[in-house]
Amino acid sequence: MQRCVVAYSNQEQPENAFDEVVKKLKSNESEPILIIFFSTEKDFWYYSKNIKQTFPNATTIGTTTYRNLTSKGHGTEGFSAMAIYSGIEVTSGVLFYIDVYPANYVNHVKQAVKGIENEENCCCVCFSTAVYGKEGLVLDTLKKGFNGKKIPIIGGSSGMSNLDNYGIVSLNGDIYKKTAVFAIIKNLNGKIIFTRENIFKRTNHTFKTTDVDCEECRVYELDDKPAANAISEATGIPIANLKEYFTTHTMGRIINDDPFITEVNKIYEDGSISYFATIYNRSNVALLELDDIENVWKKTNAALKEKLENPSFGLVVNCYARTRLFEKMQLLDKFIDILKSDCGNFIGVTGFGEQLRSDHMNQTMVLALFE
């Protein structure tokens, strides 16, 4: 019996895609404990309902995605699932109304933590519906619910094929909007390791935020100047061209000399700039530029091999903007091959935000590997 099975079907008809995936999951001749699944929003309800009905004893958790990423293939159509059959314990829960105050549901986290014997070799996988910009509140609620237990969080904001839509998440057959779903997983077979991959490097342009609306993720001033004006003056790029410039030069919050990416959302007439992750007042930020992508992949691969030579399976959260960039540069197949080398069996979501431990970020890949 295999410990983990990953399956993917790119068939457009949901019934056909579902049957193809389930056939592979059932071929293991054992009942799964946990199933993580992804699809685009069009048929997500169908997969969510039917995967739970087919495997009623398994915890099933998933979210919508722009593109399915798996060790068995990738595509913008169809259905992907990873089933784990042994060596784990799982509890789960839901945080409602994440656009308002998810902390009202912190007891859901506390109750889930009670179901895990101890925090050793644990992680919390969390999927939040995107667009609302409240991932920080979700992370804070999870940490509060852990009651001091050191449980690393890895998560993703849901992805969409149609950017006019909102993402959807699912737990145990039910689907939700304005919600975060989570599963606390204890690996009984060894450790869990995490990594964060950044394909951007720092430029010489650094700034201090001097006027920020944290709740709106909006920076009004950098170095006491309107934010867009400060960047334009530093780079020589006209304000009218900054939006295009930001596609290859993003912003990084500098924490312990390490950039955590936050992607530009809008540039306003008053010179303020909004982002998809919070930037705090009086913090240091730097403009970033693309690094040598394939060299970054090689470094990540070498570091992971040193930490964990033979992983059982992996969970990947890859940013929508990264995936689109890899598509444009015709690097997506190479990226999948690198992930196979990193993880062996893996499943991945392409969404609009990435979370690791205490941080919400953009244009990044985060990865969990299970021994």
Side-chain angles (χ1 to χ4, degrees):
M1 181 189 77
Q2 298 180 69
R3 186 184 181 204
C4 171
V5 172
V6 172
Y8 170 61
S9 172
N10 63 359
Q11 296 196 49
E12 293 186 21
Q13 289 297 322
E15 296 85 357
N16 296 338
F18 183 80
D19 289 346
E20 185 177 335
V21 167
V22 165
K23 182 178 179 181
K24 292 177 181 177
L25 300 188
K26 285 186 173 181
S27 68
N28 206 32
E29 299 180 352
S30 177
E31 283 294 311
I33 300 168
L34 171 68
I35 298 174
I36 300 172
F37 68 94
F38 307 121
S39 82
T40 56
E41 63 273 21
K42 178 168 62 75
D43 300 308
F44 186 74
W45 66 271
Y46 177 87
Y47 299 126
S48 177
K49 179 182 74 172
N50 285 284
I51 197 70
K52 183 61 178 179
Q53 289 181 351
T54 305
F55 300 102
N57 296 323
T59 297
T60 60
I61 185 171
T63 185
T64 52
T65 184
Y66 160 68
R67 177 179 280 272
N68 292 285
L69 305 172
T70 79
S71 49
K72 302 302 180 183
H74 62 90
T76 56
E77 298 289 345
F79 176 49
S80 62
M82 179 170 70
I84 300 101
Y85 298 84
S86 65
I88 60 169
E89 294 176 352
V90 181
T91 62
S92 60
V94 180
L95 300 176
F96 297 108
Y97 300 113
I98 61 172
D99 59 324
V100 182
Y101 195 59
N104 280 335
Y105 303 94
V106 69
N107 285 336
H108 294 188
V109 185
K110 293 178 180 179
Q111 190 63 35
V113 170
K114 289 179 181 178
I116 296 291
E117 183 178 350
N118 59 61
E119 66 204 89
E120 185 180 6
N121 298 326
C122 281
C123 75
C124 178
V125 174
C126 181
F127 301 124
S128 304
T129 47
V131 181
Y132 304 105
K134 303 299 182 181
E135 289 89 349
L137 295 180
V138 171
L139 292 172
D140 289 344
T141 301
L142 289 171
K143 289 184 290 181
K144 184 177 180 181
F146 294 160
N147 281 332
K149 290 184 169 60
K150 296 180 180 179
I151 302 175
I153 301 166
I154 181 170
S157 310
S158 53
M160 295 83 75
S161 59
N162 183 342
L163 302 188
D164 293 328
N165 290 341
Y166 288 77
I168 311 170
V169 295
S170 173
L171 182 67
N172 293 330
D174 294 321
I175 62 173
Y176 305 96
K177 293 184 177 181
K178 300 183 180 181
T179 299
V181 295
F182 65 90
I184 301 174
I185 307 169
K186 182 175 178 62
N187 187 15
L188 304 176
N189 288 19
K191 60 188 176 182
I192 309 170
I193 67 167
F194 305 88
T195 197
R196 171 178 59 92
E197 183 179 83
N198 182 353
I199 57 171
F200 289 83
K201 61 183 179 180
R202 291 179 63 168
T203 68
N204 294 326
H205 304 303
T206 60
F207 309 90
K208 176 80 75 174
T209 60
T210 49
D211 187 3
V212 175
D213 184 336
C214 293
E215 189 169 339
E216 297 296 326
C217 300
R218 187 165 172 174
V219 177
Y220 285 90
E221 292 184 356
L222 295 171
D223 295 337
D224 297 312
K225 302 174 184 178
N229 296 65
I231 294 172
S232 178
E233 289 177 13
T235 62
I237 304 296
I239 291 176
N241 298 337
L242 280 181
K243 187 67 174 177
E244 177 64 24
Y245 179 77
F246 287 143
T247 61
T248 55
H249 295 76
T250 192
M251 188 68 78
R253 297 163 291 162
I254 306 304
I255 303 173
N256 296 326
D257 206 36
D258 193 7
F260 286 73
I261 301 173
T262 180
E263 186 178 0
V264 170
N265 182 10
K266 294 179 182 178
I267 303 171
Y268 295 87
E269 290 186 4
D270 63 0
S272 62
I273 302 175
S274 64
Y275 294 85
F276 287 109
T278 302
I279 299 178
Y280 294 100
N281 203 28
R282 310 303 302 178
S283 60
N284 296 316
V285 296
L287 274 175
L288 311 176
E289 62 184 358
L290 272 176
D291 204 342
D292 182 329
I293 293 174
E294 294 191 55
N295 190 49
V296 171
W297 290 346
K298 290 177 183 177
K299 289 180 179 179
T300 299
N301 180 261
L304 289 172
K305 292 297 183 188
E306 185 176 337
K307 293 178 182 177
L308 188 58
E309 189 172 350
N310 294 304
S312 292
F313 55 88
L315 172 65
V316 176
V317 181
N318 195 58
C319 180
Y320 170 85
R322 273 176 53 114
T323 301
R324 292 287 289 164
L325 178 65
F326 297 164
E327 289 173 342
K328 183 178 180 180
M329 299 177 70
Q330 298 184 333
L331 287 173
L332 196 56
D333 287 334
K334 286 186 178 181
F335 177 56
I336 296 297
D337 288 341
I338 284 287
L339 289 177
K340 287 180 187 178
S341 179
D342 291 341
C343 310
N345 274 332
F346 78 88
I347 191 171
V349 59
T350 301
F352 289 86
E354 304 77 55
Q355 296 90 50
L356 186 62
R357 299 185 177 91
S358 301
D359 297 296
H360 168 60
M361 64 209 88
N362 312 119
Q363 292 176 285
T364 304
M365 181 193 74
V366 295
L367 167 65
L369 284 183
F370 291 72
E371 190 173 16

